[in-house]
Structures are given as structure tokens and as C-alpha cells.
């Protein structure tokens, strides 16, 4: 390991560093490859220079798919609509309520 990954590895307790699942979670968080990270990538993406609209659409589709996967949802309309509505509510409530909702995922 090197770079950012090594920094993550060296900064977590040694018992967690030996646990694959805990190390994986720490690395995913560091690289923003989480539910929130993919949601933000989907919402904030802009077309890149030299990128076609078809390529841009596929990149957005990938972010959406990863957002749904990291949210542990089934790929159906009801779960997707719940995810979008939950995200919209969390983005419009106060900071304390936002943290509360993210921790408990009602």
C-alpha cells in the first residue's frame, strides 16, 4: 500500500487494520466511495471536456447504480423512490436532524 491508502491503514487501530471488513469500510470512506459519496457524484457531476453526452450519461448511470448498491437497496421503483425522497428530506432539514436520520436510517 502507498499514498492515501497507506495513511488510512496506518491511522486505524492495529486490530481493525487486520480485520478486512473494517479496513475496507475505512478505505471506502477515505475515497468517498460511500452512499453519500456516490449521491454527491451523481448530483454534482458535469460533463468533462471531450466527453460525449452518451459517455456522460453512462457515467451518471454508474454513479446511480453504485449509490443504490451502497444504500443496500433492491433495484426496484419503490426502493429507488424511497431513497430519493429520504435524501431530499435529509438535505432540507437541520444539521442535528440530518445526523439523527443518517445514523438511524428510518
Amino acid at each position: 500500500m502507498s499514498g492515501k491508502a497507506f495513511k488510512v491503514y496506518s491511522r486505524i487501530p492495529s486490530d481493525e487494520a487486520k480485520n478486512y471488513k473494517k479496513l475496507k469500510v475505512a478505505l471506502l470512506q477515505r475515497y468517498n466511495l460511500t452512499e453519500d459519496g456516490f449521491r454527491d457524484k451523481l448530483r454534482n457531476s458535469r460533463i468533462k471536456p471531450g466527453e460525449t453526452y452518451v459517455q456522460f450519461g453512462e457515467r451518471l448511470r454508474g454513479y446511480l447504480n453504485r449509490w443504490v448498491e451502497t444504500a443496500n437497496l433492491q433495484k426496484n421503483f419503490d426502493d429507488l423512490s424511497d431513497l430519493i425522497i429520504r435524501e431530499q428530506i435529509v438535505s432540507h432539514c437541520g444539521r442535528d436532524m440530518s445526523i439523527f436520520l443518517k445514523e438511524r436510517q428510518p
Side-chain angles (χ1 to χ4, degrees):
M1 263 190 241
S2 62
K4 291 180 190 177
F6 181 72
K7 286 181 183 178
V8 169
Y9 177 78
S10 65
R11 290 181 180 165
I12 62 175
S14 60
D15 60 319
E16 288 184 21
K18 293 175 186 174
N19 183 314
Y20 174 76
K21 288 183 180 182
K22 290 183 180 184
L23 178 60
K24 180 180 174 183
V25 167
L27 289 168
L28 290 173
Q29 287 175 341
R30 174 61 182 102
Y31 286 96
N32 207 20
L33 301 175
T34 61
E35 179 181 349
D36 288 340
F38 284 110
R39 183 200 65 230
D40 291 343
K41 286 180 182 188
L42 176 68
R43 298 273 186 206
N44 299 318
S45 288
R46 301 291 177 258
I47 193 163
K48 296 177 180 178
E51 185 176 42
T52 68
Y53 282 98
V54 172
Q55 292 168 330
F56 180 52
E58 286 303 312
R59 187 163 51 93
L60 293 176
R61 184 183 317 280
Y63 293 153
L64 176 60
N65 286 334
R66 291 289 294 158
W67 181 25
V68 169
E69 288 170 9
T70 55
N72 295 318
L73 299 178
Q74 299 297 315
K75 290 186 178 180
N76 62 50
F77 180 79
D78 290 335
D79 283 355
L80 183 59
S81 63
D82 285 347
L83 176 67
I84 292 169
I85 290 169
R86 183 176 69 222
E87 186 264 334
Q88 202 61 13
I89 290 170
V90 168
S91 71
H92 287 87
C93 64
R95 186 176 192 282
D96 292 338
M97 179 59 80
S98 174
I99 292 169
F100 176 84
L101 292 172
K102 285 182 180 181
E103 288 176 349
R104 286 160 184 80
Q105 295 187 355

